[in-house]
Amino acid sequence: MSKVLFWAPYHGQGQTCNLQVTALIMGLVYRKRILLMQTHFMNNNLEGPLVGYNVDNESDESEIFYGIGLDMAVTYSNMKKIDIKLLESCCLTFPNTPIYLLPGTQTKCRETFDRDIARSATRLIQDADECVDLVFIDANSGNDALSVKMMDLSDLIVINLTQRRYVIKKFFEDYGERFIDNAKVFYLFGDYDDNSSYNINNCRRKYGKYIKANNSGVIPYCTKFMDAQNEGNIIRFIKNGLNIRSKNKENKLINQIIMRFHSGIRSYGQEETDYFFHKSCRSVEKMVSLL
Amino acid sequence: MRCIGYAGEEAFDVILYISRTLTKLNYPVLIIDLSDSNALFMSVHHGMGLNSDSEIINYRNINYTRRIPSEEELAMFDTGVVFMLYGRNVTEDIQLLCSELIIVINTFPHIIDETNTLVHDIGNKDCRIRILIRDIVTLDDVERVKASVTFPFSNEMLNYLYLDYADYECAVNCQYTQLIRFTNISSGMEKYIINNIRTMLPDIKPNQIKKALLAARKGR
């Protein structure tokens, strides 16, 4: 029962993608019941790649999420303490996965959102934390008040960065001291390219005060994953990549999957997708050990 | 940890190609460049404002530095390979690190003389000495070099590479582009890389090394 906050210093650092990949691997491999939610007001696409609705057609979205979502969950939470049944009624679930997706707010007014939703979000998260194993929160980037408040509540803060010199430098200048002594921080580089000189090893050497081997990981760039996102079927992509068979027992499955990707360590010329899964599984393994 | 030293003439291209192939076999690689030439320095891209004089930098999974690392830093390469590039700076205390020293020589008599002096000055003869003769035109050059060399060696420890325009071009491109791309190297160079890795890592099958080489040479 832990709360994992995904946050980035600036918008557009691949935070939502990283959250989706991490949640799916953790849910499918480690069999954790995970609630995915977001506290963005707008300009975020947590649901699309998972659900697969046509993002060009807004009416589809309002039909799919009618009567569910963050707004409904907060309403229930204000009335009484949320239990698993109420939570499930507000969420979308996916067959053969332990993932609950709580769609984001449908409110169009910022003031209404701040007044009614944002203030009660932390109570909702506390209640939801007792119903599931993990709550993954896609928080607003930067110095957003709600995000800062949730950092104190979280058991793990995943800081999403990219291999952009400007972003890395600005992050450590503006926010570095806030996280320097924080043991519950994990640095995650998304859309990662190992051939760049701005690679994770150099980052660990340059920013060794903050980034260490056990609190940092990468999720590589993968063309097939990008296509799966655009087509809205990342769950199938991740399942196929991990070669999940539902009847496997938990311990055997985790060991098999991790060993299969770890055994790729001694192979050569890894195909991009295998490399994506290998590195993503390693990063998730490290996050699980921090939790 | 396998530690191999290169001394004498320029061998930065050979070290780069072998290192890149080893990274494709997922062995950690460290290159310690103690030479005076900037050949390797120019071939490895230094990013993030890191300085190889004081730090170990990582580029395309090859770790590179121009200082002697600490024991903790060397411990990270316990399962990998460390290359020490001495150039002409072979001193007694430094050479103790490597178990094998490859003397790189070419066919010019003045270079052979300088190399004889260099090897003569090496105090520690515990490390195994091998010879690599570069840029030969015919096999007579090999015989001539063998006759001119004054330090002891055995024929099994001797390798040679023909003078090849393609090898020269790849080496120049490695410095210009910093991509470690060697798609057009000669068959002799390819054979040398494979045999070298087989000697270092006898547990790996030759076809695995060949496949790693084919993957590494693309520069991606």
Side-chain angles (χ1 to χ4, degrees):
Chain A
M1 293 174 190
S2 306
K3 298 176 277 292
V4 182
L5 182 80
F6 278 70
W7 175 86
Y10 309 103
H11 191 66
Q13 303 308 304
Q15 172 181 318
T16 305
C17 290
N18 294 345
L19 180 147
Q20 287 160 349
V21 172
T22 308
L24 284 169
I25 292 177
M26 243 191 238
L28 294 169
V29 175
Y30 293 89
R31 305 271 199 216
K32 302 285 183 192
R33 277 185 317 166
I34 299 176
L35 172 68
L36 302 184
M37 59 178 290
Q38 57 160 319
T39 56
H40 292 252
F41 173 62
M42 59 190 293
N43 291 337
N44 201 47
N45 190 21
L46 176 65
E47 300 85 10
L50 290 161
V51 174
Y53 64 81
N54 184 351
V55 296
D56 296 324
N57 193 346
E58 278 192 19
S59 64
D60 281 352
E61 187 184 328
S62 58
E63 281 163 18
I64 293 169
F65 302 142
Y66 182 74
I68 61 171
L70 180 64
D71 305 332
M72 205 45 126
V74 164
T75 307
Y76 283 135
S77 174
N78 286 339
M79 290 194 303
K80 61 174 181 175
K81 192 172 159 80
I82 280 205
D83 58 18
I84 184 66
K85 285 201 175 132
L86 270 177
L87 188 62
E88 279 177 4
S89 67
C90 300
C91 293
L92 288 170
T93 54
F94 305 94
N96 298 322
T97 68
I99 305 289
Y100 299 92
L101 171 64
L102 187 68
T105 184
Q106 298 295 305
T107 313
K108 302 297 177 200
C109 174
R110 182 78 209 213
E111 282 172 8
T112 312
F113 174 78
D114 287 337
R115 186 190 64 224
D116 297 340
I117 309 297
R119 272 192 207 163
S120 310
T122 47
R123 189 190 318 140
L124 166 66
I125 291 167
Q126 301 279 39
D127 291 346
D129 188 39
E130 294 173 23
C131 304
V132 294
D133 296 321
L134 290 163
V135 178
F136 274 38
I137 308 151
D138 187 2
N140 265 315
S141 53
N143 258 326
D144 182 71
L146 180 58
S147 302
V148 173
K149 200 167 152 191
M150 286 193 292
M151 280 183 197
D152 295 327
L153 298 176
S154 304
D155 299 298
L156 181 67
I157 302 168
V158 179
I159 296 174
N160 295 272
L161 298 170
T162 53
Q163 291 167 283
R164 298 286 183 272
R165 184 180 181 168
Y166 169 78
V167 169
I168 298 171
K169 197 172 161 214
K170 277 293 272 179
F171 166 72
F172 286 110
E173 279 173 9
D174 295 348
Y175 302 101
E177 294 310 310
R178 192 187 292 190
F179 299 107
I180 188 169
D181 288 324
N182 197 334
K184 55 175 189 176
V185 167
F186 188 85
Y187 295 92
L188 186 60
F189 287 79
D191 277 345
Y192 180 74
D193 176 4
D194 199 36
N195 285 331
S196 168
S197 53
Y198 289 81
N199 56 59
I200 189 85
N201 294 307
N202 285 343
C203 286
R204 284 174 188 149
R205 286 191 180 119
K206 182 153 183 169
Y207 300 105
K209 242 187 347 176
Y210 312 94
I211 306 182
K212 300 178 189 0
N214 66 334
N215 75 346
S216 59
V218 304
I219 292 181
Y221 176 79
C222 178
T223 310
K224 287 186 182 166
F225 176 67
M226 187 185 72
D227 289 342
Q229 277 188 301
N230 288 329
E231 285 156 21
N233 59 1
I234 59 171
I235 295 180
R236 189 169 57 172
F237 170 76
I238 301 277
K239 262 190 185 171
N240 287 344
L242 295 175
N243 198 16
I244 299 287
R245 290 182 185 84
S246 56
K247 290 185 183 170
N248 276 330
K249 287 186 183 171
E250 181 175 325
N251 288 339
K252 265 192 194 171
L253 178 62
I254 294 168
N255 291 338
Q256 274 169 17
I257 287 172
I258 292 178
M259 281 311 296
R260 183 155 45 94
F261 284 111
H262 277 204
S263 68
I265 282 177
R266 294 290 177 191
S267 71
Y268 41 78
Q270 278 178 333
E271 195 241 311
E272 187 186 60
T273 312
D274 281 345
Y275 181 69
F276 167 83
F277 281 106
H278 169 59
K279 288 294 184 183
S280 304
C281 284
R282 287 283 291 143
S283 301
V284 169
E285 206 184 337
K286 288 185 196 176
M287 279 191 237
V288 167
S289 65
L290 280 181
L291 286 169
Chain B
M1 180 171 77
R2 296 146 196 92
C3 186
I4 295 160
Y6 280 78
E9 283 304 289
E10 201 56 74
F12 81 95
D13 49 345
V14 170
I15 294 174
L16 273 180
Y17 304 158
I18 294 175
S19 303
R20 189 74 178 127
T21 310
L22 286 169
T23 62
K24 287 296 178 186
L25 290 166
N26 283 290
Y27 280 89
V29 173
L30 172 66
I31 301 175
I32 303 172
D33 184 0
L34 303 172
S35 68
D36 288 334
S37 83
N38 280 336
L40 257 179
F41 174 75
M42 300 273 298
S43 307
V44 176
H45 181 66
H46 288 53
M48 287 197 82
L50 290 169
N51 185 355
S52 51
D53 283 331
S54 51
E55 288 153 318
I56 299 177
I57 63 160
N58 181 293
Y59 180 62
R60 309 216 165 201
N61 291 318
I62 295 175
N63 295 280
Y64 173 80
T65 185
R66 296 203 287 176
R67 61 167 173 82
I68 302 280
S70 63
E71 282 195 18
E72 283 165 357
E73 285 168 332
L74 277 177
M76 291 194 295
F77 301 94
D78 270 346
T79 54
V81 180
V82 175
F83 291 102
M84 299 206 60
L85 181 57
Y86 297 111
R88 299 198 165 274
N89 295 333
V90 185
T91 60
E92 271 191 40
D93 48 345
I94 290 174
Q95 68 192 320
L96 292 170
L97 287 174
C98 57
S99 56
E100 191 173 283
L101 186 64
I102 299 177
I103 307 292
V104 184
I105 202 170
N106 64 24
T107 56
F108 284 101
H110 76 280
I111 298 293
I112 298 170
D113 272 347
E114 281 175 17
T115 309
N116 284 333
T117 316
L118 181 80
V119 177
H120 190 70
D121 291 341
I122 294 172
N124 175 23
K125 298 213 189 321
D126 290 340
C127 63
R128 206 165 49 154
I129 290 186
R130 285 165 57 191
I131 299 179
L132 171 63
I133 308 173
R134 295 200 71 168
D135 300 341
I136 67 163
V137 177
T138 65
L139 284 173
D140 292 336
D141 290 331
V142 176
E143 296 306 319
R144 190 160 49 79
V145 170
K146 275 162 76 172
S148 309
V149 153
T150 56
F151 50 88
F153 68 95
S154 67
N155 280 333
E156 295 91 48
M157 299 299 184
L158 186 134
N159 297 102
Y160 51 84
L161 289 169
Y162 280 90
L163 175 68
D164 195 291
Y165 175 70
D167 291 344
Y168 174 82
E169 199 181 25
C170 282
V172 169
N173 280 335
C174 278
Q175 285 201 3
Y176 267 118
T177 63
Q178 295 182 329
L179 278 180
I180 317 176
R181 188 180 154 92
F182 48 106
T183 44
N184 294 329
I185 51 172
S186 62
S187 55
M189 175 72 86
E190 204 178 296
K191 235 181 255 178
Y192 178 73
I193 295 170
I194 293 173
N195 288 337
N196 219 319
I197 296 178
R198 274 182 74 185
T199 314
M200 259 188 259
L201 306 166
D203 295 335
I204 300 189
K205 293 178 192 166
N207 66 332
Q208 273 186 297
I209 301 173
K210 174 126 193 176
K211 284 181 181 172
L213 176 81
L214 290 173
R217 69 200 292 176
K218 290 174 191 168
R220 280 186 258 124

